[in-house]
Amino acid sequence: MPSLTPRPSSRTIRLLPNALTLANAGLGLLAISKAIDALALGQDAAAFESNMEAACWLVLAAGVFDALDGKVARLTNSLSPLGAQLDSLADALTFGVAPAIIAKVLLEHAELAHTRIHFAAAAAFSLMAILRLARFNAETDDDDDHSRFRGLPTPAAAGTLVATILLFLSVRGSIEGATAGVQPTLFGRALEACPVGLRETVGDTLLLPLVLGLLPLLALLMVSRVQYVHLVTRLGSMQGRGALVGLVFTMLGLFLVPVPFLFLFGLGYVGSGLFGALRRGNAHGAPDADRRAA
């Protein structure tokens, strides 16, 4: 007897990757809207922190859709030039413009430096992200397995930046505390035990300048020739016990201390490319005998 369950048409399945890409762009727009709301409610500290936190998490959530759309396109055999261009445009909005606006709103609210410095740093991040995406489209072949990138990927740059902002909001504010009956994370409990003066010092003298410094640093890394592994491809290729152990510890980290985990993971990924470039530079500069011994 034939099944009565309707099956999705081939055309519907082929539209799924583009729908995921548009969801990515939609979350980017919503993140910008939340940052604007935070700026408008700057006098209310709790409302400012709440909207800024939401904006950061929206950028991170968009990264999940960005990771899925390419995989779904390959699984459904629906890769197309339209999808590739749509993906780059969505990434430019969500991972180029939105994080820069969020960072600028935070810096303006804290009055860290001159407003022109804030704008220059944020503009550098956005413009280099757009340039990086344009270069990626121009240099990428259809047969490329995307196992490695030249230059820091824009989602990784955006994720590292917003994770740093979330850490600042956690240390300086109260987003990790118990709100609306929700139990604080382990990191939140540790922060509650810290003196307020120490939290303010760490936030204002370390994390806030780090946000400002990361904007031009990540911008330069995005347009550099430093090589970075493709995390989604690398995770997909992992098999056996190692993959399971890595997955378990990642889930535990996100569950117990999500903000510090994302912050350290982002800095670790950024540093991995720099460390690899330094190591390869030392290898090229070594004598032939040393290279053969290696």
Side-chain angles (χ1 to χ4, degrees), residues 137-223:
N137 285 348
E139 295 180 352
T140 301
D141 298 326
D142 293 336
D143 297 331
D144 194 342
D145 61 356
H146 300 306
S147 60
R148 283 187 173 274
F149 291 119
R150 278 182 301 215
L152 180 66
T154 52
T160 302
L161 181 61
V162 298
T164 306
I165 294 173
L166 281 173
L167 186 62
F168 170 80
L169 293 173
S170 299
V171 171
R172 193 64 174 81
S174 58
I175 68 170
E176 288 279 343
T179 56
V182 179
Q183 291 296 321
T185 64
L186 290 180
F187 183 56
R189 290 186 181 277
L191 288 174
E192 290 176 352
C194 289
V196 175
L198 177 60
R199 293 172 57 177
E200 291 178 352
T201 300
V202 171
D204 294 343
T205 63
L206 293 178
L207 294 177
L208 199 59
L210 180 60
V211 172
L212 180 60
L214 279 176
L215 286 167
L217 174 62
L218 295 174
L220 290 174
L221 287 175
M222 282 190 283
V223 295

Side-chain angles (χ1 to χ4, degrees), residues 34-55 102-110 165 168-169 175 208:
K34 287 293 183 179
I36 294 172
D37 291 343
L39 185 63
L41 300 172
Q43 300 300 322
D44 186 340
F48 176 83
E49 292 175 3
S50 176
N51 280 283
M52 290 293 289
E53 180 190 13
I102 295 170
K104 186 176 185 299
V105 168
L106 177 66
L107 296 172
E108 292 287 305
H109 181 264
I165 294 173
F168 170 80
L169 293 173
I175 68 170
L208 199 59

